[in-house]
C-alpha cells in the first residue's frame, strides 16, 4: 500500500516535534522502521522499477513472442523455464501486449473476391435470387480445462481422446436474400 505524501510528512513532523525514535514512531503508526528510513531519504514514492529483469533473457523472450505470437503465457514460461507471472511482467516491460489478431484466410485472393462481388451486383440488378450458404463446424469432444476440487488437491477428470466428435452444420437463406445481401454490403 502506498501512503499519501501528506501522511508521510505528518508522521515525520510528529517524529521531529516529539523527538521520537524510529521504533517509537513506527509502533505508534504501525509502520515499519525501514519504511520510515526510506521516507527520510525520499518522501515521494517510486513509480518505476530500477532493477532490470534478471532471470528472463529479453532476447529469448522477444524471439519466442515473434515465433509463437498466439502462445499462452504458461506455454511461454514452460519453454523459457520461468514463471507465468514473470513472463507477464517481462512482456509488459518490453511493451508487448495481448491483442486481437486481424485474421485472413491463407488462400484469400482479392482479385477473385472482387470478381465475385461484381457478379453478385449483376445478379441483383437482374432480379435473380441469391442464396447464401454457410458452414460451421463444432467440436463436441473438447476437454474441459477447469474443474472444482478441494484446496490442496488436484482436480482430476477423464477425457476420451479417441472420440470422433465433430458436427458440421450447413445453413442457407432463401427468399429475402436480396434484402439480406443489401444489408450486408
Amino acid at each position: 500500500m502506498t501512503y499519501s505524501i501528506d501522511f508521510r510528512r505528518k508522521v515525520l513532523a510528529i517524529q521531529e516535534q516529539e523527538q521520537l525514535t524510529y521504533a517509537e514512531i513506527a509502533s505508534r503508526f504501525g509502520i515499519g522502521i525501514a519504511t520510515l528510513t526510506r521516507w527520510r531519504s525520499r518522501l515521494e514514492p517510486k513509480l518505476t522499477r530500477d532493477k532490470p529483469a534478471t532471470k528472463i533473457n529479453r532476447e529469448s523472450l522477444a524471439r519466442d513472442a515473434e515465433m509463437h505470437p498466439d502462445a499462452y503465457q504458461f506455454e511461454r514460461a514452460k519453454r523459457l523455464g520461468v514463471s507465468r507471472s514473470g513472463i507477464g511482467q517481462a512482456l509488459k516491460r518490453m511493451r508487448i501486449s495481448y491483442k486481437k489478431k486481424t485474421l485472413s484466410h491463407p488462400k484469400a485472393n482479392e482479385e477473385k473476391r472482387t470478381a465475385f462481388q461484381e457478379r453478385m451486383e449483376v445478379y441483383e440488378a437482374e432480379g435473380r435470387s441469391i442464396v447464401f450458404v454457410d458452414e460451421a463446424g463444432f467440436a463436441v469432444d473438447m476437454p474441459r480445462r477447469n474443474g472444482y476440487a478441494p484446496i490442496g488437491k488436484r482436480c482430476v477428470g477423464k477425457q476420451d481422446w479417441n472420440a470422433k466428435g465433430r458436427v458440421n452444420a450447413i445453413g442457407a437463406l432463401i427468399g429475402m436474400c436480396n434484402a439480406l445481401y443489401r444489408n450486408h454490403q
Side-chain angles (χ1 to χ4, degrees):
M1 175 171 89
T2 304
Y3 294 100
S4 70
I5 294 176
D6 292 337
F7 177 74
R8 293 171 184 217
R9 283 190 183 119
K10 186 175 182 177
V11 169
L12 294 175
I14 291 172
Q15 182 186 19
E16 281 184 25
Q17 287 171 359
E18 298 181 14
Q19 298 294 313
L20 299 173
T21 64
Y22 281 111
E24 291 169 336
I25 197 79
S27 174
R28 183 170 175 178
F29 286 99
I31 301 170
I33 295 173
T35 301
L36 291 169
T37 54
R38 273 195 308 273
W39 290 357
R40 277 280 174 216
S41 62
R42 180 188 172 109
L43 194 61
E44 293 82 22
K46 283 188 173 185
L47 301 176
T48 59
R49 174 184 164 153
D50 293 333
K51 183 182 172 191
T54 54
K55 190 170 183 182
I56 300 173
N57 184 321
R58 289 183 137 201
E59 290 80 26
S60 297
L61 180 58
R63 198 173 328 110
D64 189 73
E66 189 176 322
M67 290 175 59
H68 308 282
D70 55 350
Y72 292 117
Q73 288 185 10
F74 77 90
E75 294 169 330
R76 205 175 303 286
K78 189 184 245 184
R79 275 194 296 275
L80 298 176
V82 295
S83 70
R84 186 203 58 78
S85 60
I87 290 288
Q89 292 299 318
L91 289 172
K92 193 181 221 181
R93 279 192 302 275
M94 294 173 65
R95 302 184 54 75
I96 297 174
S97 66
Y98 191 67
K99 302 176 184 182
K100 185 175 181 180
K101 289 183 182 179
T102 303
L103 300 175
S104 63
H105 195 279
K107 296 180 182 177
N109 185 327
E110 199 58 41
E111 292 174 12
K112 288 182 180 180
R113 178 183 173 86
T114 304
F116 173 78
Q117 288 174 333
E118 290 171 357
R119 195 170 350 131
M120 291 296 108
E121 289 173 5
V122 169
Y123 289 163
E124 184 181 2
E126 293 174 355
R128 295 174 72 180
S129 293
I130 301 170
V131 177
F132 293 91
V133 178
D134 194 11
E135 178 182 359
F138 304 94
V140 295
D141 61 345
M142 293 285 296
R144 293 193 178 168
R145 304 227 180 240
N146 296 28
Y148 292 95
I151 294 175
K153 301 285 184 182
R154 288 186 177 187
C155 180
V156 180
K158 293 183 180 179
Q159 173 63 29
D160 181 10
W161 295 104
N162 296 320
K164 304 283 187 255
R166 184 148 184 92
V167 175
N168 289 337
I170 299 175
L173 293 175
I174 302 174
M176 297 183 60
C177 293
N178 289 338
L180 288 171
Y181 178 70
R182 279 194 290 284
N183 289 338
H184 288 299
Q185 283 183 334

